[in-house]
Amino acid sequence: MKQILHSVILGEGKPLCILHGFLGMLDNWKTLGTLYAENGFCVHLIDQRNHGKSFHSPDFDYDILADDLLNYLDEHHIASTALIGHSMGGKTAMQFACTYPERVNRLLVADIAPKYYPPHHQEIINGLNAIDTTNLKSRNDADQQLKKHISNPGIRQFLLKNLDRDEKKNCVSNLT
């Protein structure tokens, strides 16, 4: 059975799918998505795999992310869409447009190019991996742990958006 990406759909009209960047989530695009919805688009804000509320999987590359988007469009009966992708979402959007050109009628890519980028998020990944979520009670607790690895409070706050609460009201990560 195919797993379908989590999304929030805003407005009515021509379909527009928006893909967030690495370590982001669909919430990052709610303000702009709402504006697009007010201007005649049916906006699909999509959490990519291993992000936000979408499913998690050890399988993760741009071909797979493009196929996830294809499954999403098929599930929502969208034959062709305008597509906005930011950073990692931009790479996904470019891969999707090259693999399934008939499914894309407009493409906007922000903050990334179709080239190789050397790994540059290791400090962030190390910090996220160092968070002990077993007894985490608050975002502030997580922030104190993350501060040991990431000094920039803005980056920490962005990353801490990925914390959620489980049924016992404990903080848990939405990142793999």
Side-chain angles (χ1 to χ4, degrees):
M1 184 169 132
K2 294 179 186 174
Q3 294 183 293
I4 303 301
L5 299 170
H6 172 74
S7 70
V8 169
I9 301 170
L10 308 169
E12 296 178 5
K14 299 171 282 192
L16 167 63
C17 295
I18 302 178
L19 302 173
H20 59 77
F22 183 59
L23 302 175
M25 60 179 42
L26 65 81
D27 284 354
N28 302 129
W29 284 89
K30 273 198 172 171
T31 300
L32 283 174
T34 299
L35 290 173
Y36 288 126
E38 290 170 357
N39 284 281
F41 288 93
C42 179
V43 179
H44 295 252
L45 302 174
I46 301 171
D47 277 336
Q48 295 189 84
R49 78 169 47 205
N50 299 333
H51 291 78
K53 294 182 180 174
S54 279
F55 59 90
H56 289 229
S57 168
D59 300 323
F60 192 80
D61 65 32
Y62 290 110
D63 290 325
I64 290 169
L65 295 175
D67 287 342
D68 287 344
L69 180 56
L70 178 67
N71 292 337
Y72 178 88
L73 295 179
D74 288 347
E75 178 72 16
H76 290 275
H77 309 289
I78 299 171
S80 182
T81 186
L83 189 54
I84 296 175
H86 170 253
S87 193
M88 179 191 78
K91 285 248 184 168
T92 302
M94 288 185 278
Q95 182 66 43
F96 183 82
C98 288
T99 306
Y100 307 104
E102 71 284 356
R103 303 298 293 265
V104 179
N105 57 50
R106 301 271 190 277
L107 176 64
L108 182 106
V109 176
D111 199 30
I112 200 149
K115 67 176 195 169
Y116 171 76
Y117 290 90
H120 57 281
H121 293 296
Q122 201 55 50
E123 175 186 272
I124 291 172
I125 292 168
N126 290 343
L128 290 171
N129 285 333
I131 295 175
D132 178 10
T133 59
T134 55
N135 295 309
L136 203 56
K137 298 295 180 197
S138 70
R139 279 189 168 79
N140 188 51
D141 291 348
D143 187 41
Q144 294 307 310
Q145 292 181 40
L146 203 52
K147 191 184 282 188
K148 297 173 189 171
H149 301 274
I150 301 168
S151 61
N152 185 310
I155 292 173
R156 289 196 316 270
Q157 291 306 304
F158 173 77
L159 296 170
L160 291 171
K161 286 178 58 179
N162 286 292
L163 287 178
D164 221 343
R165 295 201 180 271
D166 64 14
E167 60 280 349
K168 296 177 186 173
K169 303 295 183 200
N170 292 321
C171 284
V172 294
S173 175
N174 283 328
L175 296 172
T176 55

Short mmCIF file of all heavy atoms in Angstrom, two decimals, residues 66-101:
data_model
loop_
_atom_site.label_atom_id
_atom_site.label_comp_id
_atom_site.label_asym_id
_atom_site.label_seq_id
_atom_site.Cartn_x
_atom_site.Cartn_y
_atom_site.Cartn_z
N ALA A 66 10.26 12.51 -5.46
CA ALA A 66 9.44 12.81 -6.63
C ALA A 66 8.30 11.80 -6.76
O ALA A 66 7.16 12.17 -7.08
CB ALA A 66 10.30 12.82 -7.89
N ASP A 67 8.58 10.53 -6.51
CA ASP A 67 7.52 9.52 -6.55
C ASP A 67 6.49 9.73 -5.45
O ASP A 67 5.29 9.48 -5.66
CB ASP A 67 8.12 8.11 -6.47
CG ASP A 67 8.81 7.70 -7.77
OD1 ASP A 67 8.55 8.33 -8.82
OD2 ASP A 67 9.62 6.76 -7.72
N ASP A 68 6.94 10.19 -4.27
CA ASP A 68 5.98 10.53 -3.21
C ASP A 68 5.01 11.61 -3.70
O ASP A 68 3.81 11.54 -3.44
CB ASP A 68 6.70 11.07 -1.97
CG ASP A 68 7.44 10.00 -1.18
OD1 ASP A 68 7.19 8.80 -1.37
OD2 ASP A 68 8.27 10.41 -0.33
N LEU A 69 5.54 12.61 -4.39
CA LEU A 69 4.69 13.68 -4.91
C LEU A 69 3.74 13.14 -5.96
O LEU A 69 2.56 13.50 -5.98
CB LEU A 69 5.54 14.82 -5.47
CG LEU A 69 4.78 16.01 -6.04
CD1 LEU A 69 3.82 16.62 -5.02
CD2 LEU A 69 5.75 17.06 -6.56
N LEU A 70 4.22 12.26 -6.83
CA LEU A 70 3.34 11.64 -7.83
C LEU A 70 2.20 10.90 -7.15
O LEU A 70 1.03 11.05 -7.54
CB LEU A 70 4.14 10.69 -8.72
CG LEU A 70 3.32 9.94 -9.77
CD1 LEU A 70 2.77 10.89 -10.82
CD2 LEU A 70 4.18 8.85 -10.41
N ASN A 71 2.50 10.11 -6.13
CA ASN A 71 1.46 9.38 -5.39
C ASN A 71 0.47 10.35 -4.76
O ASN A 71 -0.74 10.09 -4.75
CB ASN A 71 2.08 8.49 -4.32
CG ASN A 71 2.87 7.34 -4.90
OD1 ASN A 71 2.65 6.92 -6.03
ND2 ASN A 71 3.83 6.84 -4.15
N TYR A 72 0.97 11.46 -4.24
CA TYR A 72 0.11 12.46 -3.64
C TYR A 72 -0.84 13.05 -4.70
O TYR A 72 -2.06 13.15 -4.46
CB TYR A 72 0.94 13.58 -3.00
CG TYR A 72 0.09 14.67 -2.40
CD1 TYR A 72 -0.36 14.57 -1.09
CD2 TYR A 72 -0.30 15.77 -3.14
CE1 TYR A 72 -1.17 15.55 -0.54
CE2 TYR A 72 -1.11 16.75 -2.61
CZ TYR A 72 -1.54 16.63 -1.31
OH TYR A 72 -2.36 17.60 -0.77
N LEU A 73 -0.29 13.44 -5.83
CA LEU A 73 -1.13 14.02 -6.89
C LEU A 73 -2.17 13.01 -7.38
O LEU A 73 -3.34 13.38 -7.59
CB LEU A 73 -0.26 14.49 -8.06
CG LEU A 73 0.69 15.64 -7.78
CD1 LEU A 73 1.51 15.98 -9.03
CD2 LEU A 73 -0.03 16.86 -7.27
N ASP A 74 -1.77 11.76 -7.54
CA ASP A 74 -2.73 10.73 -7.96
C ASP A 74 -3.83 10.56 -6.92
O ASP A 74 -5.01 10.46 -7.27
CB ASP A 74 -2.01 9.40 -8.19
CG ASP A 74 -1.16 9.39 -9.45
OD1 ASP A 74 -1.28 10.32 -10.28
OD2 ASP A 74 -0.34 8.45 -9.59
N GLU A 75 -3.46 10.54 -5.65
CA GLU A 75 -4.44 10.38 -4.57
C GLU A 75 -5.45 11.52 -4.57
O GLU A 75 -6.62 11.33 -4.25
CB GLU A 75 -3.71 10.31 -3.22
CG GLU A 75 -4.61 10.20 -2.02
CD GLU A 75 -5.27 8.82 -1.87
OE1 GLU A 75 -4.82 7.84 -2.51
OE2 GLU A 75 -6.25 8.73 -1.10
N HIS A 76 -5.00 12.71 -4.93
CA HIS A 76 -5.87 13.89 -4.91
C HIS A 76 -6.43 14.23 -6.30
O HIS A 76 -7.02 15.29 -6.48
CB HIS A 76 -5.12 15.09 -4.31
CG HIS A 76 -4.88 14.93 -2.84
ND1 HIS A 76 -5.81 15.29 -1.90
CD2 HIS A 76 -3.84 14.40 -2.16
CE1 HIS A 76 -5.35 15.01 -0.69
NE2 HIS A 76 -4.16 14.46 -0.82
N HIS A 77 -6.25 13.31 -7.24
CA HIS A 77 -6.79 13.44 -8.59
C HIS A 77 -6.37 14.75 -9.25
O HIS A 77 -7.18 15.45 -9.87
CB HIS A 77 -8.32 13.31 -8.58
CG HIS A 77 -8.79 12.10 -7.85
ND1 HIS A 77 -8.63 10.82 -8.34
CD2 HIS A 77 -9.38 11.96 -6.64
CE1 HIS A 77 -9.11 9.95 -7.47
NE2 HIS A 77 -9.57 10.61 -6.42
N ILE A 78 -5.08 15.07 -9.12
CA ILE A 78 -4.52 16.27 -9.73
C ILE A 78 -3.70 15.84 -10.94
O ILE A 78 -2.66 15.20 -10.82
CB ILE A 78 -3.62 17.04 -8.73
CG1 ILE A 78 -4.45 17.48 -7.51
CG2 ILE A 78 -2.95 18.23 -9.41
CD1 ILE A 78 -3.62 18.06 -6.38
N ALA A 79 -4.20 16.19 -12.14
CA ALA A 79 -3.54 15.78 -13.37
C ALA A 79 -2.28 16.61 -13.64
O ALA A 79 -1.28 16.09 -14.13
CB ALA A 79 -4.50 15.91 -14.55
N SER A 80 -2.34 17.90 -13.31
CA SER A 80 -1.23 18.80 -13.54
C SER A 80 -1.29 19.93 -12.52
O SER A 80 -2.38 20.38 -12.16
CB SER A 80 -1.31 19.36 -14.96
OG SER A 80 -0.23 20.21 -15.23
N THR A 81 -0.13 20.39 -12.06
CA THR A 81 -0.10 21.38 -11.01
C THR A 81 0.98 22.42 -11.23
O THR A 81 1.98 22.15 -11.90
CB THR A 81 0.12 20.70 -9.63
OG1 THR A 81 0.01 21.68 -8.59
CG2 THR A 81 1.48 20.04 -9.56
N ALA A 82 0.78 23.59 -10.66
CA ALA A 82 1.87 24.53 -10.48
C ALA A 82 2.63 24.03 -9.26
O ALA A 82 2.04 23.47 -8.33
CB ALA A 82 1.34 25.94 -10.27
N LEU A 83 3.92 24.23 -9.23
CA LEU A 83 4.75 23.65 -8.18
C LEU A 83 5.78 24.67 -7.71
O LEU A 83 6.48 25.28 -8.53
CB LEU A 83 5.44 22.40 -8.76
CG LEU A 83 6.19 21.46 -7.88
CD1 LEU A 83 5.35 20.95 -6.72
CD2 LEU A 83 6.68 20.26 -8.71
N ILE A 84 5.82 24.88 -6.40
CA ILE A 84 6.84 25.72 -5.78
C ILE A 84 7.64 24.83 -4.85
O ILE A 84 7.09 24.09 -4.05
CB ILE A 84 6.22 26.89 -4.97
CG1 ILE A 84 5.46 27.83 -5.88
CG2 ILE A 84 7.31 27.63 -4.19
CD1 ILE A 84 4.72 28.94 -5.13
N GLY A 85 8.96 24.92 -4.96
CA GLY A 85 9.84 24.16 -4.08
C GLY A 85 10.93 25.04 -3.52
O GLY A 85 11.57 25.79 -4.26
N HIS A 86 11.14 24.95 -2.22
CA HIS A 86 12.19 25.71 -1.56
C HIS A 86 13.30 24.77 -1.11
O HIS A 86 13.03 23.76 -0.44
CB HIS A 86 11.63 26.47 -0.35
CG HIS A 86 12.68 27.07 0.51
ND1 HIS A 86 13.00 26.56 1.74
CD2 HIS A 86 13.53 28.10 0.29
CE1 HIS A 86 13.98 27.28 2.27
NE2 HIS A 86 14.32 28.22 1.40
N SER A 87 14.53 25.06 -1.47
CA SER A 87 15.70 24.32 -1.04
C SER A 87 15.53 22.83 -1.37
O SER A 87 15.39 22.49 -2.54
CB SER A 87 15.95 24.57 0.45
OG SER A 87 17.22 24.12 0.83
N MET A 88 15.48 21.94 -0.40
CA MET A 88 15.27 20.52 -0.68
C MET A 88 13.99 20.32 -1.48
O MET A 88 13.93 19.50 -2.40
CB MET A 88 15.20 19.72 0.62
CG MET A 88 14.96 18.23 0.42
SD MET A 88 14.57 17.37 1.96
CE MET A 88 12.86 17.82 2.19
N GLY A 89 12.95 21.07 -1.15
CA GLY A 89 11.70 21.01 -1.91
C GLY A 89 11.89 21.44 -3.35
O GLY A 89 11.23 20.94 -4.26
N GLY A 90 12.82 22.38 -3.57
CA GLY A 90 13.15 22.80 -4.93
C GLY A 90 13.82 21.70 -5.71
O GLY A 90 13.53 21.48 -6.89
N LYS A 91 14.72 20.98 -5.05
CA LYS A 91 15.37 19.83 -5.73
C LYS A 91 14.33 18.75 -6.05
O LYS A 91 14.35 18.16 -7.13
CB LYS A 91 16.48 19.25 -4.85
CG LYS A 91 17.72 20.09 -4.84
CD LYS A 91 18.83 19.36 -5.53
CE LYS A 91 20.11 20.18 -5.41
NZ LYS A 91 21.26 19.43 -5.81
N THR A 92 13.42 18.52 -5.10
CA THR A 92 12.34 17.56 -5.35
C THR A 92 11.49 18.02 -6.53
O THR A 92 11.16 17.22 -7.42
CB THR A 92 11.46 17.40 -4.10
OG1 THR A 92 12.26 16.97 -3.00
CG2 THR A 92 10.34 16.40 -4.34
N ALA A 93 11.15 19.30 -6.55
CA ALA A 93 10.32 19.86 -7.63
C ALA A 93 11.01 19.73 -8.99
O ALA A 93 10.38 19.36 -9.99
CB ALA A 93 9.97 21.31 -7.33
N MET A 94 12.32 20.01 -9.03
CA MET A 94 13.06 19.88 -10.30
C MET A 94 13.09 18.43 -10.76
O MET A 94 12.89 18.13 -11.94
CB MET A 94 14.48 20.42 -10.14
CG MET A 94 14.54 21.94 -10.04
SD MET A 94 16.23 22.58 -10.00
CE MET A 94 16.64 22.36 -8.26
N GLN A 95 13.34 17.50 -9.81
CA GLN A 95 13.37 16.09 -10.16
C GLN A 95 12.00 15.64 -10.68
O GLN A 95 11.90 14.93 -11.68
CB GLN A 95 13.78 15.23 -8.95
CG GLN A 95 13.86 13.75 -9.24
CD GLN A 95 14.97 13.43 -10.22
OE1 GLN A 95 16.07 13.96 -10.13
NE2 GLN A 95 14.67 12.57 -11.19
N PHE A 96 10.94 16.09 -9.98
CA PHE A 96 9.59 15.73 -10.39
C PHE A 96 9.30 16.27 -11.79
O PHE A 96 8.76 15.55 -12.64
CB PHE A 96 8.58 16.27 -9.37
CG PHE A 96 7.17 15.88 -9.69
CD1 PHE A 96 6.68 14.64 -9.33
CD2 PHE A 96 6.33 16.75 -10.37
CE1 PHE A 96 5.39 14.25 -9.64
CE2 PHE A 96 5.03 16.38 -10.68
CZ PHE A 96 4.55 15.13 -10.32
N ALA A 97 9.65 17.53 -12.05
CA ALA A 97 9.37 18.14 -13.34
C ALA A 97 10.12 17.44 -14.47
O ALA A 97 9.61 17.32 -15.59
CB ALA A 97 9.72 19.63 -13.30
N CYS A 98 11.33 16.98 -14.21
CA CYS A 98 12.10 16.26 -15.23
C CYS A 98 11.56 14.85 -15.45
O CYS A 98 11.57 14.35 -16.58
CB CYS A 98 13.57 16.20 -14.83
SG CYS A 98 14.41 17.79 -14.96
N THR A 99 11.12 14.21 -14.39
CA THR A 99 10.63 12.83 -14.49
C THR A 99 9.18 12.77 -15.00
O THR A 99 8.84 11.86 -15.76
CB THR A 99 10.72 12.14 -13.10
OG1 THR A 99 12.06 12.27 -12.61
CG2 THR A 99 10.36 10.67 -13.19
N TYR A 100 8.36 13.71 -14.58
CA TYR A 100 6.94 13.73 -14.94
C TYR A 100 6.55 15.10 -15.51
O TYR A 100 5.72 15.80 -14.94
CB TYR A 100 6.08 13.41 -13.71
CG TYR A 100 6.48 12.14 -13.01
CD1 TYR A 100 7.19 12.18 -11.81
CD2 TYR A 100 6.17 10.90 -13.56
CE1 TYR A 100 7.56 11.01 -11.17
CE2 TYR A 100 6.55 9.72 -12.92
CZ TYR A 100 7.25 9.78 -11.72
OH TYR A 100 7.63 8.63 -11.09
N PRO A 101 7.14 15.51 -16.63
CA PRO A 101 6.90 16.87 -17.15
C PRO A 101 5.43 17.16 -17.47
O PRO A 101 5.00 18.31 -17.36
CB PRO A 101 7.78 16.94 -18.40
CG PRO A 101 8.04 15.53 -18.79
CD PRO A 101 8.02 14.74 -17.51
#
